Amino acid sequence: MLEKIDFRSDTVTLPTTEMKAAMFAAKVGDDVYGEDETVIALENKLSALFNMEAGLFCPSGTMTNQLAIKCFTQPMDEVICDQTAHVYRYEGGGIAYHSMASVRLLHGQRGIITAGMIEPEINEDNIHYPNSTLVVLENTINKGGGSCYTLEQIAPIARLCKNRVLKLHLDGARIFNALSATGDSAADYGQYFDGISVCLSKGLGAPVGSVLLGSKDTIHKARKIRKAFGGGMRQSGFLAAAGIYALDHHVGRLSQDHAHAATLAATLTAADFVDSVMPVETNIVIFKVKSSYTAASIISSLNAKGILCGATGADTVRFVTHLDITSAMIDQAVEIIKNLNPTINS
Ligand SMILES: *Cc1c(COP(=O)(O)O)cnc(C)c1O
């Protein structure tokens, strides 16, 4: 029986033997009492890395993003982000539900927005308008096919936000992929953002968890809201230990995932059933199928040969490379894609 090669998401990774050993060995305590030294160590490690004052370990990236939005807005405010943003599309309507804020959507280039696009969308102080108080950027951009911002692109946005007194939050679910691709340093990020959300359960390969980074005041506020969201965890150091292990051992290897994605993209570009492949910058490959096929038909043909992947639209398919994809699996996948004979839709 052929083992499936799972390209659906970088969230499907399983903890390695060494990671599990680190989890079992963790010193834990009740984190709601502030007594879990492993959770505190993870929060301190990441805040130091990104040059932020404090951190808060949470069950998911959705929670860290939504906590940040709640901290940085009041009801009736408006959040500015790209129309592809995860915070808007994939967090269950959380902005409206938790923060009672509206959203102003921009149309960036593969999710990348600029200060020039943001500035005209900031509302004047006028009783008709919601107050623009927060800009959210995503790096890398999921819907942009793993596209990424450089710090050079972020700096003018941060400057604009400072001048117009808006907060700036980063959805950094895949920030380490962006750092790997751009060569920017995590330490330089802190000066630009009021909040940064970092996922440990994507490319880094931990089973659970994200950390919100911010000022001491922001994190104090977020900790209280996390409690109200039901996200105060007890001996969560077992999970935090996986995050620490991932930061120590799984960051350097992300370039390998990016090389794997580039190999897949080259193979897909040459495939008969592919119309076009989005430029690949990190670990995500999104391609459009030719009009005689649908995403569903291509996915089911690939599935029959042992490849799992997902649709991002009626005619677009996504592959994500990650820790559990080996070079041998990439070789196998390349052969399967080259020889695929998908049925044409009638
Ligand atoms: C995965 C992801 C998140 C967080 O997702 P959770 O499943 O809630 O951890 C946030 N933003 C982006 C861009 C993501 O890809």
Side-chain angles (χ1 to χ4, degrees):
M1 182 54 200
L2 190 70
E3 207 190 326
K4 298 276 187 190
I5 307 174
D6 195 345
F7 291 110
R8 287 172 304 162
S9 175
D10 44 7
T11 55
V12 301
T13 56
L14 298 176
T16 62
T17 305
E18 295 79 10
M19 181 182 277
K20 280 189 271 195
M23 294 170 76
F24 272 107
K27 289 210 173 70
V28 300
D30 189 325
D31 185 55
V32 174
Y33 291 171
E35 292 172 1
D36 191 304
E37 59 183 272
T38 307
V39 170
I40 293 167
L42 171 66
E43 291 169 345
N44 290 344
K45 188 180 176 75
L46 269 171
S47 54
L49 197 61
F50 283 87
N51 226 343
M52 303 286 271
E53 283 178 6
L56 183 68
F57 184 49
C58 291
S60 71
T62 297
M63 189 182 283
T64 44
N65 282 332
Q66 293 298 325
L67 285 176
I69 294 165
K70 184 84 183 145
C71 283
F72 297 141
T73 60
Q74 293 293 321
M76 302 161 79
D77 283 356
E78 189 156 84
V79 178
I80 299 173
C81 62
D82 185 73
Q83 51 99 13
T84 60
H86 193 281
V87 293
Y88 170 70
R89 285 196 180 227
Y90 302 116
E91 299 188 3
I95 297 177
Y97 185 66
H98 299 300
S99 299
M100 293 184 257
S102 60
V103 183
R104 182 78 66 104
L105 297 175
L106 307 186
H107 293 265
Q109 190 75 27
R110 291 199 297 135
I112 303 272
I113 57 178
T114 62
M117 291 172 169
I118 296 166
E119 187 155 27
E121 305 298 332
I122 299 174
N123 289 331
E124 301 298 328
D125 185 11
N126 175 311
I127 60 160
H128 295 89
Y129 304 148
N131 291 327
S132 310
T133 49
L134 174 65
V135 173
V136 178
L137 304 181
E138 192 171 308
N139 204 16
T140 69
I141 298 158
N142 183 1
K143 266 256 165 185
S147 51
C148 45
Y149 287 92
T150 60
L151 271 175
E152 214 179 334
Q153 292 171 295
I154 288 168
I157 297 174
R159 217 174 304 128
L160 173 68
C161 289
K162 200 146 269 163
N163 288 341
R164 302 295 296 271
V165 201
L166 273 72
K167 299 287 189 189
L168 183 59
H169 173 67
L170 175 66
D171 176 357
R174 296 189 178 85
I175 185 60
F176 285 100
N177 295 88
L179 294 173
S180 171
T182 59
D184 286 335
S185 115
D188 290 332
Y189 264 74
Q191 63 188 301
Y192 296 118
F193 289 98
D194 299 288
I196 300 179
S197 160
V198 179
C199 283
L200 301 161
S201 58
K202 292 267 164 78
L204 296 186
V208 175
S210 288
V211 176
L212 177 64
L213 305 173
S215 70
K216 281 193 180 123
D217 283 350
T218 296
I219 295 303
H220 177 72
K221 190 172 173 187
R223 191 177 294 279
K224 182 150 185 171
I225 303 167
R226 183 188 68 171
K227 189 72 181 123
F229 278 9
M233 298 181 286
R234 303 295 177 174
Q235 285 73 27
S236 42
F238 292 119
L239 299 173
I244 292 172
Y245 182 89
L247 289 168
D248 288 340
H249 297 93
H250 293 165
V251 172
R253 57 158 306 287
L254 290 172
S255 56
Q256 197 181 320
D257 294 344
H258 299 178
H260 286 163
T263 302
L264 289 175
T267 308
L268 286 162
T269 301
D272 282 341
F273 57 91
V274 173
D275 177 79
S276 57
V277 182
M278 280 174 92
V280 171
E281 296 177 41
T282 53
N283 70 327
I284 299 176
V285 184
I286 295 178
F287 64 91
K288 188 171 170 209
V289 303
K290 283 203 177 136
S291 60
S292 41
Y293 304 99
T294 59
S297 71
I298 295 299
I299 290 167
S300 103
S301 302
L302 286 164
N303 198 341
K305 300 286 179 190
I307 291 181
L308 299 180
C309 53
T312 56
D315 59 359
T316 52
V317 177
R318 186 181 81 156
F319 280 63
V320 186
T321 57
H322 52 75
L323 183 63
D324 289 354
I325 296 290
T326 61
S327 295
M329 288 176 181
I330 292 293
D331 292 345
Q332 248 180 304
V334 163
E335 283 312 304
I336 291 167
I337 292 164
K338 276 184 181 166
N339 297 310
L340 197 72
N341 237 326
T343 38
I344 292 176
N345 283 10
S346 45

